[in-house]
Amino acid sequence: MATKAKSGNAIVETIKTIVYALLIAGVFRTLFFQPFWIPSGSMKETLLIGDFLFVNKMAYGYSYASCPTVSIPVVGLNVDAEDVCGFLDGDNTRLFGGDPERGDVVVFRHPVSGRDYIKRLVGLPGDRVQVKDGILYLNGKMVPQTPAGNFDEVMGRQGPQGLTPRCGNGPVGEGGTCTKTRAVETFDNGNEHVVLNIGSQASDHTPVYLVPEGHYFFMGDNRDNSADSRLPQAAGGVGFVPYENLIGRADRIMFSSAGRSMLYFWTWRSDRFFKGVN
């Protein structure tokens, strides 16, 4: 009888330990840092497919979007942030709120789909944003770009989704060199970052967007390969993003893998480990 009691107590203690660990992890993920894998090439070269980083949730304070979304289709688990913290939605405010700065790389919740996106903050509330001939204009003034050579990568499937890059040097065969032109863009607050260009397309020529109060305008650094605020939400873009939809700021890459799986250690990019995000 004593053996059975001890065995039963051991099982209970194990379950309690797991529950406590999950609660602690949930609190940590909700209040401090959220892990994020880069799934696409919209932020090249700043962020590459397979980069892994932690999002600083303390940077802008907390809203309903700060609650984690947990989706594990294999076991039928799908808990959305709104399911847990939806009672905080609707007022476009934040607890302990902080203001993001132009040039921040931000993870935010898509206003319609609820999916997490990562882009660079370009337009603040009240700004007039326009792209003309591939050059960004803010409040009627051109944002300076300095040519910085080319960004080269090998043509091939990238990441778990097996995505292939778009190239500015025409059709490129498997294993060939895929090239995009590269420039350093500088905002008026001194933020410098690299942007890439593939070629002229519709998103390089936009109307003037007036960013509403309490909203932000985002663009990808890989300008010709990014569904962002230049496209309205109805057309599959991001549109204007409410303040309450910001999740946090990306500050540092912790790990990076160029392979289909992080277990392929020979594809790890050790030069990107602990690299700051600019």
Side-chain angles (χ1 to χ4, degrees):
M1 291 293 291
T3 302
K4 288 184 178 180
K6 287 182 180 180
S7 176
N9 289 336
I11 293 173
V12 170
E13 289 302 315
T14 300
I15 293 174
K16 286 169 63 177
T17 300
I18 293 173
V19 170
Y20 291 153
L22 290 174
L23 287 173
I24 292 170
V27 170
F28 183 86
R29 191 173 188 270
T30 299
L31 296 181
F32 303 112
F33 298 97
Q34 175 176 318
F36 191 87
W37 282 97
I38 303 302
S40 74
S42 68
M43 282 295 292
K44 291 178 181 177
E45 67 180 49
T46 304
L47 298 171
L48 303 180
I49 295 175
D51 282 349
F52 174 80
L53 49 86
F54 281 103
V55 180
N56 180 0
K57 289 190 169 185
M58 297 175 285
Y60 311 133
Y62 307 96
S63 71
Y64 86 98
S66 301
C67 284
T69 293
V70 181
S71 180
I72 308 177
V74 176
V75 297
L77 180 63
N78 186 20
V79 180
D80 189 80
E82 283 191 331
D83 297 332
V84 181
C85 297
F87 65 94
L88 297 173
D89 188 13
D91 56 7
N92 202 25
T93 60
R94 308 180 71 86
L95 184 64
F96 310 121
D99 293 326
E101 296 182 7
R102 195 190 313 279
D104 284 357
V105 176
V106 180
V107 173
F108 58 88
R109 180 181 170 91
H110 191 285
V112 175
S113 70
R115 293 176 57 195
D116 291 349
Y117 277 59
I118 185 166
K119 305 287 181 186
R120 189 174 299 278
L121 196 159
V122 169
L124 302 173
D127 278 346
R128 288 176 290 112
V129 182
Q130 185 177 22
V131 180
K132 295 192 289 187
D133 297 321
I135 302 296
L136 177 64
Y137 285 74
L138 293 174
N139 300 314
K141 296 181 180 180
M142 182 182 71
V143 177
Q145 284 190 7
T146 304
N150 293 327
F151 172 76
D152 296 328
E153 57 186 332
V154 176
M155 168 55 75
R157 297 193 176 277
Q158 301 176 352
Q161 299 180 58
L163 302 176
T164 54
R166 292 180 58 206
C167 311
N169 55 331
V172 176
E174 183 80 17
T177 300
C178 177
T179 299
K180 303 173 182 62
T181 58
R182 187 175 179 273
V184 175
E185 185 174 73
T186 306
F187 287 141
D188 55 7
N189 63 0
N191 179 288
E192 292 186 347
H193 50 275
V194 171
V195 295
L196 304 181
N197 178 62
I198 298 172
S200 182
Q201 58 185 47
S203 59
D204 289 329
H205 316 277
T206 74
V208 176
Y209 301 98
L210 177 61
V211 185
E213 286 301 315
H215 291 72
Y216 296 91
F217 192 100
F218 291 92
M219 292 174 63
D221 289 349
N222 190 3
R223 293 284 165 83
D224 294 337
N225 195 47
S226 175
D228 48 40
S229 292
R230 289 171 289 178
L231 273 177
Q233 296 159 9
V238 170
F240 302 122
V241 178
Y243 180 46
E244 66 181 355
N245 281 49
L246 306 187
I247 294 174
R249 185 181 64 216
D251 292 331
R252 189 168 299 275
I253 298 164
M254 304 304 294
F255 172 83
S256 184
S257 173
R260 300 295 295 272
S261 169
M262 65 177 292
L263 300 178
Y264 298 169
F265 63 87
W266 57 90
T267 67
W268 291 358
R269 306 183 187 106
S270 58
D271 60 319
R272 297 183 67 80
F273 290 8
F274 309 111
K275 181 180 180 180
V277 177
N278 299 317

